[in-house]
Amino acid sequence: MKTSNVLRRVYGVTAALIGVLFFFIIVGVFGLPFAIAGLGVFVVGAVVVCHAFPTERAEL
Amino acid sequence: MKLDPSILARIQFAFTVSFHIIFPTMSIGLASFLAVIEALWLKTKNPTYLQIYRFWLNIFAMGFGIGVVTGIVLSFEFGLGFARFAQMAGPAIGPLIALEVLTAFFLEAGFLGIMLFGLHRVGPKLHFFATCMVAVGTLISASWILSANSWMQTPAGVAIHDGQLTVVNWLHVLMNPSWPYRLPHMLTAAYLTASFMVAGVGAWYLLRGKHQDFARRTVALGTAFATVLIAGQVFIGDLVYGTMLKYQPSKMQAAEGFWEKQSPSPAPYYWFIIPDQKDQRNRFALGTPRLGSIWLTHSLNGRVEGLKNTPRELQPRMALVFYAFRIMYCLAMLMFAIGVASLWLRFRGTLFHSRWFLWMLVCMTPSGIIATLAGWYVAETGRQPWVIYGILRTVDAVSPVPSQALLSTLIAFVCVYAVFITAFLIFTFRIIRRGPVEAPVYPEASGSIKNAFRPHVLDSPKRLADSQFS
């Protein structure tokens, strides 16, 4: 297996783990203040990623 | 065979309301989506946005029509099948439904014609205003209906004298304890439904290699909306859970699949159970250890309340509530995973090339509808045996009508609604198969309201188009 493939999988697993962590935070496992903060960070992060990587324009 | 009228009345209402809720869910979500798309078109003048608008407007119109027709039936059913409920709860429920018609339905009806048929007849800004008004109308409509239903879940602001209900505080009726949480939960569900529908159809075109520009924009928009919305929905869902645990503990006890008054510590999270309501135990249970404590009590060793805390005669059917809740929750987790995956693929620049992801989006096209239906099943079956929680039992709310009358109307509803859903699916698939039609940058005005909102862009489309591209 090439190093780039290994790295890609590591990144993929890391992204999945971050997603699971956010899910647990947002459902309130760590309390309401953390849930509100987690929701805010996730939403802002999602908006930033969507703005920074406008794939529908870049690939056309 | 002797048929029980109370069972038939409940089956009839369950069938008609389950059928009905599919369409308002789509309409609420699509109306706001169309408003956003039209705003993008007005801002950018990109004809692809107009294509997207026209394409989804057709599907929205069909869904809206069926939603209205099937909604009217429900009002009549209150009187026909549940006359005792209508008689008792009328002072609280009646005005809410009447206000829905007066405020939301009239608003929608007034502007729907312009939205559907006015693109070539009024200016784009007035048309955009009409789209926004229809979207606002759907929100107001949902607000009244959720207020009425939430009052049945958590009744407040009323007093009962001689079996007749009297409103003592309208504000408490309107803003009953569960309404502030259930309204955003339902609205977000509707927006999620539209987002996954839009993304799913776009993904299908990408997989088929058709309508690339249209498909890429709809997939990008649909996944972006869905990602943000599902995070909000998970948060709101947890708040709804906490509220219902406080006001309707039996519902959440049934939803978690525990029977004993206190679950073991740490509590597992059950994914699959075979409940035995008669013996008050699970014949089989499959779960993840400790996850129940973490998710439900937000601690490592917390105990979860079981259904034996509720007297047997006041317990809902665990199997219905449990599996409806699991379907909704598992779909929410899947939606969240897809949202995170879409961000990752966007980051890597492979959002439109990952076939596994596009197939996932196609499979998730009806996920919002299924999750919404499951959520309503949790709400309604979990409230049983009450129709107005703690005040009126469902068996006492049914009309004294012969079972034959209920059976014949139930058969009629099934036949008529089968025609509705068949027609809807045939025309929707036909629209999807045909694909978006090429749209000019500026629609031509025939000019029935020539100067509305000073639509100068329509006065001379050719001149403006020339100046735009010169």
Side-chain angles (χ1 to χ4, degrees), chain B residues 256 258 262-270 287-297 299-305:
Chain B
E256 296 313 341
F258 292 104
Q262 289 287 315
S263 72
S265 173
Y269 192 81
Y270 290 140
T288 306
R290 208 179 272 272
L291 194 58
S293 292
I294 295 170
W295 260 345
L296 307 174
T297 67
S299 69
L300 284 173
N301 298 304
R303 292 175 188 272
V304 183
E305 283 189 3

Side-chain angles (χ1 to χ4, degrees), chain A residues 7-8 10-13 15-16 18-20 22-32 35-36 39 42-43 45-47 49-51 53-60, chain B residues 49 212-213 216-217 220 223-224 227-228 230-235 238-239 291 294-295 298-299 329 332-333 336 339-340 342-353:
Chain A
L7 274 177
R8 195 179 297 167
V10 169
Y11 289 151
V13 170
I18 291 171
V20 170
F22 264 107
F23 187 85
F24 272 74
I25 292 171
I26 293 170
V27 293
V29 166
F30 303 107
L32 188 61
I36 294 168
L39 176 66
F42 186 88
V43 169
V47 171
V49 169
C50 292
H51 269 282
F53 302 96
T55 26
E56 79 278 12
R57 280 177 234 157
E59 293 190 12
L60 283 173
Chain B
Y49 288 122
Q212 291 289 305
D213 194 10
R216 287 178 179 208
R217 277 181 204 277
T223 51
T227 306
V228 172
I230 188 60
Q233 185 70 317
V234 166
F235 176 75
D238 191 58
L239 295 180
L291 194 58
I294 295 170
W295 260 345
H298 301 166
S299 69
Y329 200 61
M333 284 192 287
F336 194 89
V340 172
S342 78
L343 289 178
W344 173 243
L345 294 173
R346 205 181 272 264
F347 176 72
R348 288 181 55 202
T350 56
L351 186 65
F352 308 131
H353 307 303

